[in-house]
Amino acid sequence: MDHPTQPDSPPVTEYEVFVVDDSATNGRLNHSCTVNGSIISPDTDNNNKGKGRWETLILAYKTLGVVFGGLVTSPLYVYPSMHLKSPTEDDYLGIYSIMFWTLSLIGVVKYASIALKADDQGEGGTFALYSSLCRNMNIGMLTSRPENSSSTLSRSLLDEGTEKQSRLAKFFRKSVVARRVLLFIAMLGTCMVIGDGILTPAISVLSAMDGIRAPFPSLSSSVVEALSAVVLIILFLLQKFGTSRVSFLFSPIMGAWTLCTPLVGIYSIIHYYPSIFKAISPHYIFRFFWRNGREGWLLLGGTVLCITGSEALFADLGHFNRSSIQIAFLFTIYPSLVLTYAGQTAYLIRNPNDHDDGFYKFIPKTIYWPIFIIATLAATVASQSLISATFSVIKQSVVLDYFPRVKVVHTSASKEGEVYSPEVNYILMILCVVVILIFGDGKDIGNAFGVVVSLVMLITTILLTLVMIIIWRTPPMLVALYFCVFFVMEGVYVSAVFTKIPEGGWIPFAISFILALIMFGWFYGRQRKLEYELTHKITLDSLGVLLSDPSVQRVPGLCFFYTNIQDGLTPTLGHYIKNMKSLHQVTMFTTLRYLLVPKVAPHERIVVKKLGLKGVYGCVIQYGYADPLNLEGDDFVSQLTNSLQAHIQNCSGRLPSNPSEIQEEISDLEEARSAGVVHVRGKTRFYIGHNCGWFDRIMLAFYEVLHSNCRSAVPALGVPPPQRIEVGMLYEA
């Protein structure tokens, strides 16, 4: 079981939807307005359009402090991360040309123009691409069984869509190996984002703090590393208080940074090398590689950092909207980076040996300290953005049963996306500090960072190509053009950064691979348990036979019996009844169903129904992977019992029934709740026999290790310990 959350409106029964507040039905429409904090009033069409434009511009301004922190602060460490040896003017022109076209092709074309259109109902990121592919192909995660749908219309549409699927989609439906590979790729991309949450704070804060050594040359690098570690420790310790109180400062800080650095760049261009923009011509790239050969290829491990944080354009789509992110990137971030890198390059052409401190050296002395302060604040904001994104990724993974259960806390009552996980926070803090203290050299951390950046881009390209083929049905020539350009370009970057694995690049690769293995092992084990339960499920007829046994008693009280399956009852139920010889007077078989959609409408959250036996009911609670998890204890019980009462009364109004029977049913429910509430869940383990294959043996043994060391699901529901019962049972693998 996982963490249910409190529905925002009255529940839906099997026969009728109860809606008290009309605003609840258009939560998807109001999602962007939640971020903005204002409401668009329905006046005239012209006023709406005008206000809509202002809303988008305000959102675009707010994206500066959330979306682009990692990308816009990359000038702090790009040149210092390069292993340059006696660079010439032509070398710098070639490097700038590479960075310009990387920003233009990957930033403008791939992410701002293509990836932002591949959203999953407003949500972006690697997992959004994967979930939309699974839903479009009408498959589960590891099985070809279609996803269950509570709507007959939905099922008919899915069946119709299945008939029209492309050959590639049919291949994924038939091949379990292909589905496993696709799932692992998506998980690896998600884990790379977590790796980004480790390296961005380390390299951003270290690069910003390194600026203190210019006016104080006597300071050693160890002192800078210690100061950086202290700043990061303070930042992580403050996470439990949330960012609501200081988040209003994020956009002004990043706005100041985005404005100041290109102004310094323009000054540097005019002062040092006014003809720098001739490097926009791609022939400088060819000349660079022709002249430098293998050394030029290896330098790509540093130049790739200029696009650091570009994945956030897509991943943070759910917090804003497509137009606001495109406006902010195309009209502020992209020009700012182009001018800043042009200014840095112009300075370095005239001062070729200053590349190890390529940012602070090109800052005029008269404004050095203001820029240093802004740079430090901007690096802190960029770090905070990646830390928050990591918490969100972990939360979504836990919700969808991809990751062992950890504690997830909402730090804001008004912002559902603002979450905090104590275990994850302290692990991130330790890893960040270790990275700084052990790999304090910016070049080594840059090597590690390059692995993350290039692999995330490559994974997104692969998934976007599948989306084009399977969902968009893009003409093959356009798909081939997209894939060849970006796969080759990013593949060359990946090949370059992989040579840096012995020099620090192994850090994020190892972390991400371990996390992906944990996620895959956990999810595989959960799926195998679900398959066992579906195969050995207890039907309603079987339950009736069990209850007809004279030795089985109906005892007073209300029982929530948790089950992972909807079209039947968990095998643990039969094990429980045969050994306890009892079942509670009112028993609700409760299933938490997490859907491959970002959000479930509040009025569709709870579905209850009668199961045909006296005092026995079924309940399904549905959530999306971006829904908040805040339902606890008595609220949980009250929501479900109120939903059940509404269902009973609604059935009496639609079907012929005896009023006295309806009243008796409601009285039995109230009496059962007053007698006591108990929550029963299975605590199952796999029995790994000799008939298991080697893959199952390894993965299920690994799952059991994870399962033994994660948090229990029932405490996550806020259920008091005296009300919890765990029924042990062995599942034969």
Side-chain angles (χ1 to χ4, degrees), residues 343-364:
Q344 282 184 281
T345 307
Y347 170 83
L348 290 172
I349 287 174
R350 298 299 180 223
N351 302 272
N353 295 320
D354 285 349
H355 53 81
D356 281 341
D357 191 9
F359 179 77
Y360 283 109
K361 285 289 180 67
F362 100 111
I363 302 297

Side-chain angles (χ1 to χ4, degrees), residues 415-429:
K415 297 180 181 179
E416 63 187 38
E418 205 171 287
V419 294
Y420 162 73
S421 173
E423 296 100 327
V424 174
N425 182 65
Y426 293 122
I427 291 173
L428 285 178
M429 181 180 73

Side-chain angles (χ1 to χ4, degrees), residues 504-578:
W506 61 270
I507 306 170
F509 191 77
I511 292 172
S512 300
F513 189 83
I514 291 171
L515 286 172
L517 186 62
I518 289 172
M519 293 175 75
F520 187 85
W522 175 264
F523 190 75
Y524 184 80
R526 301 293 286 178
Q527 287 294 302
R528 287 299 305 272
K529 278 193 174 182
L530 181 59
E531 289 175 5
Y532 180 92
E533 291 176 349
L534 287 171
T535 305
H536 300 83
K537 64 186 178 184
I538 303 294
T539 64
L540 290 177
D541 291 339
S542 302
L543 179 60
V545 172
L546 289 171
L547 294 179
S548 64
D549 186 340
S551 63
V552 176
Q553 304 296 318
R554 300 296 293 270
V555 297
L558 171 61
C559 173
F560 292 96
F561 208 113
Y562 296 99
T563 175
N564 291 326
I565 55 178
Q566 294 174 241
D567 52 346
L569 302 172
T570 174
T572 311
L573 173 64
H575 189 63
Y576 174 80
I577 293 177
K578 288 176 183 178

Side-chain angles (χ1 to χ4, degrees), residues 214-456:
F216 302 105
S218 59
L219 284 177
S220 66
S221 59
S222 299
V223 174
V224 174
E225 291 166 15
L227 289 174
S228 302
V230 169
V231 170
L232 285 176
I233 290 173
I234 294 173
L235 180 63
F236 279 105
L237 292 178
L238 293 176
Q239 293 301 309
K240 63 181 178 181
F241 300 108
T243 58
S244 294
R245 297 177 183 176
V246 294
S247 60
F248 69 95
L249 294 173
F250 288 177
S251 293
I253 290 171
M254 299 311 297
W257 170 264
T258 306
L259 179 64
C260 290
T261 52
L263 291 177
V264 176
I266 293 171
Y267 167 81
S268 183
I269 292 168
I270 296 171
H271 191 69
Y272 294 107
Y273 200 85
S275 60
I276 183 65
F277 289 112
K278 68 182 182 182
I280 291 175
S281 173
H283 89 276
Y284 282 95
I285 298 176
F286 294 104
R287 288 175 55 181
F288 175 78
F289 287 116
W290 182 265
R291 187 173 55 257
N292 292 284
R294 185 176 184 274
E295 290 299 321
W297 169 63
L298 293 176
L299 285 174
L300 291 176
T303 56
V304 72
L305 298 182
C306 72
I307 201 69
T308 298
S310 58
E311 183 71 19
L313 271 76
F314 184 37
D316 288 336
L317 182 58
H319 297 290
F320 299 94
N321 60 43
R322 185 189 307 162
S323 299
S324 63
I325 293 176
Q326 287 175 330
I327 290 171
F329 178 74
L330 296 175
F331 294 101
T332 59
I333 303 301
Y334 177 70
S336 174
L337 289 172
V338 168
L339 291 171
T340 302
Y341 284 123
Q344 282 184 281
T345 307
Y347 170 83
L348 290 172
I349 287 174
R350 298 299 180 223
N351 302 272
N353 295 320
D354 285 349
H355 53 81
D356 281 341
D357 191 9
F359 179 77
Y360 283 109
K361 285 289 180 67
F362 100 111
I363 302 297
K365 292 183 179 180
T366 54
I367 59 170
Y368 186 90
W369 285 110
I371 294 294
F372 172 77
I373 293 171
I374 294 174
T376 305
L377 293 174
T380 304
V381 172
S383 303
Q384 177 61 60
S385 299
L386 266 297
I387 293 168
S388 298
T390 302
F391 290 152
S392 296
V393 167
I394 292 292
K395 179 210 125 179
Q396 292 180 7
S397 302
V398 170
V399 163
L400 284 161
D401 239 356
Y402 285 144
F403 200 80
R405 290 178 290 268
V406 295
K407 185 176 182 179
V408 176
V409 179
H410 282 259
T411 58
S412 172
S414 58
K415 297 180 181 179
E416 63 187 38
E418 205 171 287
V419 294
Y420 162 73
S421 173
E423 296 100 327
V424 174
N425 182 65
Y426 293 122
I427 291 173
L428 285 178
M429 181 180 73
I430 292 170
L431 290 175
C432 279
V433 173
V434 167
V435 165
I436 284 181
L437 297 182
I438 296 181
F439 302 95
D441 186 357
K443 286 184 172 60
D444 287 338
I445 300 179
N447 293 335
F449 210 5
V451 174
V452 170
V453 173
S454 56
L455 275 178
V456 168

Side-chain angles (χ1 to χ4, degrees), residues 2 36 38 53 101 169 200 234 278 293 306 325 369 417 427 481 513 539 582 584 612 625 694 706 721:
D2 293 287
N36 191 15
S38 57
R53 293 192 190 99
W101 286 106
T200 293
I234 294 173
K278 68 182 182 182
C306 72
I325 293 176
W369 285 110
I427 291 173
L481 178 63
F513 189 83
T539 64
S582 66
H584 285 77
Y625 56 79
W694 66 269
L706 296 175

Side-chain angles (χ1 to χ4, degrees), residues 26-86:
N26 53 352
R28 293 300 308 168
L29 287 175
N30 291 338
H31 182 65
S32 61
C33 295
T34 302
V35 178
N36 191 15
S38 57
I39 300 174
I40 300 176
S41 59
D43 298 328
T44 64
D45 289 342
N46 290 334
N47 286 340
N48 283 338
K49 290 179 182 178
K51 290 182 179 179
R53 293 192 190 99
W54 279 110
E55 296 285 339
T56 301
L57 290 175
I58 293 172
L59 275 178
Y61 167 70
K62 291 189 174 185
T63 63
L64 298 179
V66 177
V67 177
F68 300 107
L71 181 58
V72 81
T73 56
S74 59
L76 284 169
Y77 45 78
V78 170
Y79 272 114
S81 298
M82 295 185 191
H83 297 263
L84 295 170
K85 299 175 182 178
S86 303

